[in-house]
């Protein structure tokens, strides 16, 4: 009960009201997201790719930072749920005329919006917005600084569960720039909460956050050792926009030591899957032979992301499938 009271994402009955970070959510709710996503996974292959679940709801995409996959799949997810979607182009909004973030939000609330999907370069931005929105408005974090990217982590969990089943049997390696990655942070919380047998991070010391072991992961500096016998290998981009100073000798040297090549992948299990949140940088953290190879599920992650975003949107708006008879088929 005390967790429920403290966790700003849950309402008084323990249901998801906002989706801001994986931290603080239990296995039951994460599993509910995955199960709900499963029920939406077929919508994209129907002749009419739509269900009427969020008909009449207004969803606002507020992206203060660049995005391709995340923004478009949130938009598609909303449309497949029959909601109305607004995409606010921050560069051409009144923010450039000096309007404060909160004034902008209050104006969007005055238009009777129901949900804000927020991406921002400042860690904590989505929590800040969730604290200030009107009681009828929900907030989903689509990535804040280096802090969290919970829907990305859940689409990764969904992809893993579909390929590998039980997390309790799995060894998962996350490779590369862990330090600047909100994706890695959210993945680590999701994987450990879902009971993954072993979560590894593989990176040079300069690209690891301090005390990362306290998150329940095993640290490896050698790629071959880190990948040995893994079922899932996750690559990450070098997030240079968040790096201060030179943390790396050169991209060539990084690729030499930490690049996901066929040679490196041979240390993982032969049936290991290779994942990446995108955007991928070929020849920097991943070789084309691996990115386009038979073990890669990188594009499938994008497709499954739509179902996961549909799940989270329907849950925060209190309309899980089945809420209205006959609506989901
Ligand atoms: C990631 C992000 O923006 O955090 N991409 C994504 O959302 N698919 C990872 C990255 O930018 O490298």
């Amino acid at each position: 009960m005390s967790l429920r009271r403290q966790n700003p994402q849950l309402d008084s009955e323990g249901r998801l009201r906002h989706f801001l970070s994986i931290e603080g959510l239990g296995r039951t709710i994460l599993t509910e997201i995955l199960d709900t996503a499963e029920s939406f996974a077929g919508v994209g292959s129907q002749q009419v790719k739509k269900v009427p679940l969020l008909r009449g709801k207004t969803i606002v995409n507020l992206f203060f930072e660049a995005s391709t996959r995340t923004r478009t799949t949130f938009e598609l997810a909303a449309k497949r749920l029959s909601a109305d979607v607004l995409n606010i182009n921050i560069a051409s909004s009144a923010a450039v005329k000096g309007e404060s973030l909160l004034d902008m939000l209050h104006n969007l609330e005055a238009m009777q919006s129901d949900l804000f999907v927020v991406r921002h370069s400042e860690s904590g931005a989505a929590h800040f917005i969730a604290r200030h929105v009107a009681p009828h408005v929900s907030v989903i974090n689509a990535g804040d600084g280096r802090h969290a990217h919970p829907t990305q982590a859940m689409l990764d969990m969904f992809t893993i569960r579909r390929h590998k089943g039980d997390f309790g049997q799995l060894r998962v390696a996350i490779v590369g720039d862990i330090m600047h990655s909100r994706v890695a942070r959210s993945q680590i919380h999701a994987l450990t909460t879902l009971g993954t047998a072993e979560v590894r991070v593989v990176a040079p010391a300069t690209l690891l956050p301090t005390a990362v072991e306290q998150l329940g992961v095993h640290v490896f500096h050698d790629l071959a050792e880190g990948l040995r016998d893994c079922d899932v290998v996750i690559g990450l981009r070098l997030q240079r926009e968040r790096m201060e100073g030179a943390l790396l000798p050169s991209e060539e040297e990084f690729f030499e030591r930490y690049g996901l090549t066929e040679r490196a992948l041979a240390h993982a299990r032969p049936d290991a899957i290779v994942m990446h949140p995108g955007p991928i940088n070929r020849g920097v953290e991943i070789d084309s032979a691996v990115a386009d190879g038979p073990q890669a599920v990188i594009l499938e992650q994008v497709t499954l992301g739509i179902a996961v975003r549909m799940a989270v949107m329907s849950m925060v708006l209190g309309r899980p499938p089945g809420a209205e008879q006959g609506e989901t088929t």
Side-chain angles (χ1 to χ4, degrees):
M1 278 311 279
S2 60
L3 188 64
R4 281 180 188 178
R5 268 200 303 278
Q6 284 165 11
N7 193 329
Q9 308 185 76
L10 302 179
D11 67 13
S12 56
E13 268 135 59
R15 280 186 310 244
L16 210 55
R17 153 130 201 264
H18 304 296
F19 192 48
L20 307 174
S21 64
I22 304 287
E23 229 175 323
L25 297 179
R27 193 186 292 197
T28 312
I29 213 146
L30 298 191
T31 305
E32 188 186 338
I33 294 172
L34 299 179
D35 293 343
T36 308
E38 197 62 65
S39 75
F40 287 127
V43 174
S45 27
Q46 286 172 197
Q47 203 166 25
V48 177
K49 299 196 248 325
K50 255 186 199 307
V51 289
L53 211 59
L54 295 187
R55 193 169 45 198
K57 297 283 182 189
T58 304
I59 296 176
V60 183
N61 266 333
L62 272 172
F63 278 60
F64 295 86
E65 198 197 69
S67 169
T68 314
R69 276 153 293 270
T70 307
R71 200 197 59 72
T72 48
T73 53
F74 263 112
E75 181 175 351
L76 269 181
K79 287 181 168 163
R80 289 187 186 173
L81 290 165
S82 308
D84 297 315
V85 198
L86 291 181
N87 290 305
I88 307 291
N89 184 353
I90 304 296
S92 63
S93 75
V96 295
K97 298 187 192 165
E99 186 177 38
S100 81
L101 174 62
L102 288 181
D103 283 329
M104 179 181 183
L105 291 177
H106 294 323
N107 278 272
L108 291 166
E109 281 170 358
M111 299 172 201
Q112 285 123 357
S113 304
D114 300 291
L115 169 63
F116 295 146
V117 178
V118 182
R119 167 167 289 197
H120 202 287
S121 57
E122 293 289 325
S123 299
H127 281 78
F128 173 81
I129 290 171
R131 268 201 306 280
H132 290 91
V133 287
H136 69 277
V137 178
S138 289
V139 177
I140 295 178
N141 183 4
D144 62 324
R146 56 167 88 172
H147 171 240
H149 193 351
T151 59
Q152 177 69 45
M154 290 315 293
L155 78 86
D156 297 331
M157 299 308 111
F158 191 43
T159 309
I160 294 173
R161 193 175 81 164
R162 283 196 135 208
H163 280 270
K164 299 286 170 195
D166 183 11
F167 288 89
Q169 309 296 321
L170 298 182
R171 194 171 279 142
V172 179
I174 308 172
V175 185
D177 184 3
I178 315 283
M179 163 116 100
H180 303 96
S181 177
R182 53 195 175 204
V183 175
R185 266 177 200 73
S186 289
Q187 286 169 336
I188 291 168
H189 286 300
L191 287 164
T192 52
T193 305
L194 289 167
T196 306
E198 187 185 359
V199 185
R200 299 176 175 182
V201 290
V202 187
T206 49
L207 293 182
L208 285 171
T210 42
V212 67
E213 300 87 348
Q214 285 171 16
L215 298 175
V217 298
H218 291 148
V219 174
F220 291 78
H221 298 301
D222 181 80
L223 182 61
E225 273 174 42
L227 296 191
R228 188 153 300 134
D229 296 328
C230 280
D231 303 278
V232 178
V233 178
I234 303 175
L236 295 172
R237 185 175 64 88
L238 292 174
Q239 289 140 89
R240 294 207 172 270
E241 70 277 20
R242 294 192 200 111
M243 289 186 194
E244 284 153 19
L247 296 174
L248 287 169
S250 71
E251 286 187 350
E252 291 72 25
E253 201 166 320
F254 180 80
F255 184 67
E256 188 57 42
R257 291 193 55 201
Y258 292 99
L260 295 177
T261 58
E262 286 179 316
R263 190 161 53 93
L265 194 58
H267 295 279
R269 286 175 54 98
D271 63 349
I273 54 169
V274 177
M275 302 173 59
H276 194 302
I280 61 170
N281 284 191
R282 292 167 188 266
V284 181
E285 77 274 5
I286 191 164
D287 192 32
S288 280
V290 172
D292 305 326
Q295 288 168 267
V297 295
I298 298 169
L299 294 177
E300 191 182 336
Q301 287 172 262
V302 177
T303 309
L304 295 177
I306 302 171
V308 168
R309 292 181 169 128
M310 288 169 80
V312 174
M313 285 179 177
S314 68
M315 286 169 67
V316 295
L317 291 176
R319 304 283 297 270
E324 281 188 24
Q325 281 252 303
E327 277 203 342
T328 56
T329 48

